[in-house]
Every structure is written in structure tokens, then in C-alpha cells.
Amino acid sequence: MLEVDQLAEALLREGMITRDGLERARLESITTGDRLGFTLVQLGCLDERELARHLARRHRVPIVDVETMALDPEVLRMIPAEVALRHQVVPLRRSGRVLTVAVGDPGDRNTLQELFLATNCDVEPVVAGELGLRRVVEREYGVADENIRDLLRLVEGENGAGKLRDSEADTSAEAGSAAEAPVTRLIDGILRDAVHRGASDIHFECYEKEVRVRYRIDGVMHEIMRPSTKMKAGLISRLKILSDLDIAERRLPQDGRIRFRIGAGTIDFRVSTLPTIFGEKVVLRILDRGNAPLDIHQFGMEAGSRDSFLRAILQPYGMVLVTGPTGSGKTTTLYAALARINTPDVNILTAEDPIEYNLRGINQLQVRPDIGMDFAAALRAFLRQDPDAIMIGEIRDLETASTAIKAALTGHLVFSTLHTNDAPSAVTRLMDMGVEPFNVASAVNLITAQRLVRKVCVTCAEPVVYSPELLAMAGVPGSSSGISSLRGRGCDACGGSGYRGRQGLYEVMVMSPVLRRMVLAGAAATDIRDQAVREGMITLRLDGLRKVEQGLTTLDEVLRETAA
């Protein structure tokens, strides 16, 4: 603690950090258990290269770029994985009894002492950048990677295949034995790693001669590993057991759920299996309730759009629709709306397929079409339960749409989603289903269309100017000087992509008296759109361009996700 305090005071004295930044980092460090230096870098309060240079001067040790160095596997094995992961250290080379180790803080005597005891070598510390060091540690000592190597050695051994099959049997029969099974350790490692990296989905894909594991991070797929095809049966069986699915059924799709404890919290995984030509594909959707923002003010809506949305969800009756493609955050927006109106004097019921998050104080129903409990049936049952607000996961057919419209017209507040490209198209979509125009005009209060775009990584953000020609192609004519914004050059924090996290784009259309008359007259979606824009609606493309001007995302992202 004394060394940490001395480091903090030295950084303050040299003007490298501010007092406010230090206090934020202290609180974060206490919560996460990470080193103060790493936390300062992660929060953007201090550049990792400046910190490394300061520590090198302070302790008179060299600086190394550990990410560009060729590492010897024999030397790496000298430090146990649990020690390397706990202290974030990487052994670089050995000369006799001297082991050179890259560390984040060469003044941490406890770490150096533990390394001496673990290796029986004199430890010579060198300084490495905090983020780069952590990335190398995770790459070389990550739980999933280590288990893959263990499993490969297991299946290639003399009795490897038999042991693997035994481990699967143990998983279903004896929980204590399963905890030590290689397949169990591998699955646990993958689940933890995916949550740590901020993935939204995990894909296990079976091919003829291999298994591929991929994560979807910030909407983009990333390949993580390719285990041997010998592990296929064990991996799929373990996932089915965890999600309480039928292991013997390999011909039909199945859906399940896993609750997995990580640290002090519990993460839910929604599991879906799909039979393919070479085996079953399993996709896990990560439902981290703690990472789901349920405050509309955190969504990044423009102030006017947000106020319109809030007014609509606080009405006593009517319909609020959220549209967009799969994976655009529609359900999160609806959950935020429900959280806003969820008070003891309001009776809220939801019909969902599936239920993604359990919301306290809200009655949630899982749709089961196989037994006749579809959205329409659920909605009819809800109307006998004295509801104030109803959420229908998706309007898919005329029966559901008609019942939802009638509920909105008879004193209930109804929330639902549609799959359309923009807000005006939702009106024509309902009428295409067979809903009468006068019912649509009377019931619908507001329609929101949304998309998700990747956010610029704050750690490696750098200025960029978009030329007038490029802006003209994006549908922004008349800008002779271009737009100044930010882009990520790629760093350890964002995995070299230049993006970290996602930002919503929103198109909020309020059903004004003029728009209601246009709907009654059967106006086309383009005409409704033009009138809504004249009344002040911000389109998805325009909202995206405003986010570009604010430095939140890039023009490439906006062009990829929106139409002119």
C-alpha cells in the first residue's frame, strides 16, 4: 500500500494525472482488485507508455514491448498459469538462475517474492505497458486456451478418446467428478472469457474435421479457437447438460437456458441448438442483466426524441412500437420503457419469446406455441388479468396485431416490436397484415426505429476530418469544409479494431393529427416519412451523422447501418 501511495503521489506531482482521476481510479481499483496503474490506464486517466516510462525511471529497469517479442513456451511454463493470471506477469527469458519477467509494477515486492517461490529463480523485472501486458497474459495463459491444449493432449494420448467419453458420463452422473473433467473446464473457461470480453453471443459450430468457436463482440463475429473434431461430442453434450436439454435428441432444434456464476454475480445464457450436416450448432446469447442499461437517459437519444418517447410511454393508453432488425436492441428499449413505468400502482404483463431478463414487479409469460400459447393467446388471456400496460414481444400476424390494437383502444398501454426498416414503414406493415387504417391511426401513439453502431474506442481515439465529397455521398450536401470527428487507430483495449462498445441510433415518429389523417387516407410510407421529417423527426441517418459529429462513432458505421 505504501508503494501504491508513493506511485500516486509521484504521478500527481509530475502532473501526469489529476486528483479527480486518481480518486476515480482508487474506487474502481478497490471494486475490481486490479492494480492502480492498470486502472488509471483503463479509465483513460493516464497513457500506458507514460506510466511505463515513469516506472522504468523510478525503479531503474528497462522497458519492453512484450507484444512484439517471441516468447519461449518452455520459459512460459516456468510460471504457473494461476500465478501469471493473478499478477499479470510474463516470463521472457532465462539465463542460469536469473529469470527475466515483464511486469506492470516492478516495485511490487509481494509479486516478485511469489515469483521467486514459484520458479526458484532470481527474478529480474522489466516494465511493460499495462494493457499490452494483460493482453499477452490472457493470450498465453487464458483459461480457455490452456484447457484446449490440455484437451488436445488428452485426445491424442493412448486413451484420450475413452477418457473424453468418460468425462461426459461423469458430467451427467456426478457433479463433483464433472468439475475436474477437461470438457467442463473448457466450457467454463469459454463462458468466463466471453463475458470478460464483452461478447453478446457464443457460437459453437461443427464441421467435418474441426469445431469452430466464435464470439460476437460489438455486433461483429470474431473467431476464438478451433478445437479438434474429437471434442465435438463432449462440448455439445456438456452444453446440453448445463441447459437441461435432451442429449439424445440430435435431429430437432432445442432451446434452453444456463445460469452461470462469475465472480459475485450470475449471468444467464440463452441456449439454442440447430442440427447441421456435421453435427449440432449451439449458440449462446449472453444475458448480462448488470450490463443492460434500463435508463432511457443512457441510450443516447437526442433530447427532443427522448422527450417524445417518454411522453408516449407515460400515456394511459395507446400503442408504442419499436422497430428494427434482429439484434438492434429493441427488447432493451422496451425493458427500459417498462422499468420507467414500473410502479406499485401499475399492473404490467409481458408475453415474450424468450424471456431475456427477469424484471422485478412485472408479470412475465414465456410464449409456448407448441401448446397453443402464442402471442395472440397470451394477449387474450392478459385482457382478463386487469392490466394497465402490456408488452407483446413481437407482432407477427393479423390476429396478434388486431388484438393488440383493440387493447390499445380500450384503455391499455401496449408495447410491441415489428421488423421494419424505419418508423414510417411500421404503419404500412400493420395495414399489409390486414389491420384497418382507422384502427392504426387511432391506436398508435409513437413508433421508434433503431440501429446499433460501434462506438469509437476512447483509449485510442484520434482526430479525423471527413471530406465534403464523402459527406455528399452520405447524403449530407452543402458541407464545404467537411466534418471533424474521431476514429480509433486500434489498441489493446479494443483488440485493434478501433471500436469498443455500441451506440444506439434512433428515429422517433410521433403520430401527429396530420400523420393520423394521412394514415386514414392510405398514404404511402415515403409520404408519411416526408411529413414526419417536416414535423421534426430525426431520421436514422441524420441521428447517426450527429453521433459522428460528436465523435461517438464513425461515418463508415453509420453508412453501414442506415439508409439515406
Side-chain angles (χ1 to χ4, degrees):
M1 181 62 71
L2 179 61
E3 179 67 29
V4 172
D5 291 337
Q6 290 176 348
L7 171 63
E9 290 303 321
L11 294 174
L12 283 171
R13 190 168 53 251
E14 295 185 18
M16 299 173 67
I17 59 174
T18 64
R19 180 70 67 178
D20 289 343
L22 174 61
E23 293 306 316
R24 282 198 300 128
R26 283 190 190 278
L27 292 174
E28 183 73 13
S29 180
I30 291 171
T31 302
T32 63
D34 291 325
R35 284 193 301 269
L36 179 64
F38 172 77
T39 306
L40 285 166
V41 171
Q42 191 176 45
L43 293 177
C45 302
L46 181 63
D47 184 81
E48 65 172 330
R49 290 166 294 187
E50 292 182 6
L51 175 60
R53 285 194 290 267
H54 173 85
L55 291 171
R57 291 194 306 270
R58 180 183 180 88
H59 298 285
R60 299 178 181 178
V61 297
I63 300 177
V64 298
D65 185 356
V66 69
E67 290 191 279
T68 62
M69 301 183 70
L71 303 177
D72 186 345
E74 293 297 328
V75 175
L76 287 172
R77 280 195 285 270
M78 292 185 65
I79 296 181
E82 61 272 16
V83 175
L85 289 164
R86 183 165 64 251
H87 296 294
Q88 297 297 304
V89 297
V90 176
L92 303 179
R93 56 184 173 271
R94 178 181 181 179
S95 179
R97 284 184 51 81
V98 177
L99 181 65
T100 303
V101 183
V103 299
D105 182 3
D108 187 344
R109 296 184 180 86
N110 292 333
T111 295
L112 299 180
Q113 178 65 22
E114 184 166 347
L115 292 176
F116 169 75
L117 295 174
T119 62
N120 197 29
C121 288
D122 296 327
V123 177
E124 179 184 68
V126 295
V127 178
E130 286 279 1
L131 295 175
L133 180 63
R134 179 159 294 216
R135 183 170 175 81
V136 172
V137 170
E138 290 178 351
R139 185 186 71 207
E140 300 296 337
Y141 292 101
V143 177
D145 288 343
E146 183 64 24
N147 278 333
I148 283 176
R149 288 192 290 267
D150 289 344
L151 283 172
L152 284 173
R153 287 194 291 269
L154 180 64
V155 298
E156 288 172 357
E158 182 178 351
N159 297 316
K163 290 182 181 178
L164 188 57
R165 285 192 294 271
D166 290 343
S167 72
E168 294 171 28
D170 291 344
T171 304
S172 59
E174 301 179 21
S177 163
E180 300 301 322
V183 169
T184 300
R185 295 200 307 274
L186 175 58
I187 293 296
D188 289 358
I190 290 173
L191 299 185
R192 294 178 191 277
D193 182 57
V195 172
H196 174 71
R197 296 195 193 193
S200 61
D201 302 86
I202 310 172
H203 292 244
F204 292 82
E205 300 166 322
C206 296
Y207 298 99
E208 185 176 9
K209 296 182 179 179
E210 64 186 0
V211 178
R212 182 168 66 169
V213 180
R214 296 194 289 173
Y215 298 164
R216 186 178 294 278
I217 302 174
D218 295 336
V220 179
M221 297 289 281
H222 298 268
E223 184 173 313
I224 303 302
M225 60 187 73
R226 287 178 177 255
S228 165
T229 187
K230 295 178 182 179
M231 302 178 193
K232 179 167 61 178
L235 292 172
I236 303 305
S237 295
R238 176 60 183 167
L239 289 169
K240 284 185 170 183
I241 289 167
L242 286 174
S243 48
D244 198 25
L245 300 179
D246 185 357
I247 298 177
E249 180 56 74
R250 300 183 178 90
R251 301 165 300 170
L252 298 173
Q254 298 186 70
D255 294 307
R257 204 176 186 96
I258 296 174
R259 302 203 72 188
F260 190 76
R261 180 169 292 278
I262 297 179
T266 301
I267 306 295
D268 283 355
F269 296 83
R270 192 179 76 206
V271 183
S272 172
T273 71
L274 179 72
T276 64
I277 187 171
F278 293 116
E280 291 175 278
K281 173 180 170 127
V282 182
V283 177
L284 287 76
R285 167 65 57 89
I286 301 174
L287 307 173
D288 187 353
R289 177 67 167 80
N291 285 336
L294 296 183
D295 183 356
I296 294 169
H297 291 82
Q298 298 179 20
F299 283 14
M301 282 186 183
E302 293 290 325
S305 299
R306 182 181 66 243
D307 292 344
S308 297
F309 187 82
L310 288 172
R311 282 195 298 271
I313 67 175
L314 293 175
Q315 295 296 315
Y317 55 84
M319 177 177 283
V320 174
L321 295 173
V322 181
T323 76
T326 301
S328 60
K330 299 188 299 296
T331 302
T332 300
T333 299
L334 289 180
Y335 279 156
L338 295 179
R340 178 66 178 79
I341 66 172
N342 184 18
T343 58
D345 58 334
V346 177
N347 179 25
I348 304 174
L349 298 101
T350 74
E352 305 172 55
D353 184 21
I355 297 174
E356 295 198 3
Y357 301 109
N358 296 323
L359 302 177
R360 184 176 181 181
I362 294 178
N363 304 280
Q364 296 173 269
L365 181 146
Q366 171 68 55
V367 171
R368 296 277 304 279
D370 55 323
I371 60 171
M373 182 53 71
D374 55 14
F375 283 121
L379 188 50
R380 289 194 299 271
F382 285 175
L383 294 177
R384 297 189 291 272
Q385 291 286 315
D386 186 29
D388 296 301
I390 297 169
M391 186 188 80
I392 301 299
E394 182 183 349
I395 293 178
R396 299 174 179 172
D397 52 51
L398 175 60
E399 185 180 7
T400 305
S402 299
T403 309
I405 290 285
K406 291 174 184 176
L409 292 173
T410 53
H412 305 92
L413 185 60
V414 179
F415 299 90
S416 192
T417 70
L418 278 173
H419 287 284
T420 62
N421 292 326
D422 57 16
S425 298
V427 173
T428 53
R429 172 72 177 132
L430 288 173
M431 291 189 290
D432 287 344
M433 286 183 182
V435 181
E436 295 293 341
F438 66 86
N439 280 330
V440 176
S442 302
V444 177
N445 289 343
L446 178 138
I447 304 171
T448 297
Q450 65 183 69
R451 298 290 188 278
L452 291 177
V453 293
R454 291 182 292 174
K455 293 172 64 176
V456 173
C457 174
V458 296
T459 305
C460 62
E462 62 182 13
V464 62
V465 176
Y466 295 108
S467 68
E469 294 79 14
L470 189 59
L471 293 173
M473 291 175 57
V476 194
S479 179
S480 58
S481 59
I483 292 179
S484 298
S485 184
L486 297 174
R487 67 180 176 191
R489 65 177 179 272
C491 66
D492 298 320
C494 61
S497 68
Y499 299 98
R500 191 175 186 186
R502 287 197 283 179
Q503 166 70 53
L505 306 181
Y506 301 92
E507 178 178 283
V508 178
M509 188 177 81
V510 180
M511 290 295 290
S512 67
V514 174
L515 290 178
R516 293 185 194 277
R517 288 196 293 271
M518 292 181 69
V519 173
L520 278 171
T526 53
D527 296 331
I528 294 173
R529 177 190 181 87
D530 292 342
Q531 177 60 32
V533 170
R534 285 194 290 270
E535 294 180 1
M537 182 184 80
I538 300 172
T539 65
L540 286 168
R541 172 63 61 85
L542 182 55
D543 190 36
L545 293 171
R546 291 185 178 184
K547 299 296 191 298
V548 172
E549 291 179 340
Q550 297 165 17
L552 295 175
T553 188
T554 64
L555 187 60
D556 291 342
E557 280 292 293
V558 173
L559 296 179
R560 183 168 65 90
E561 293 293 340
T562 65

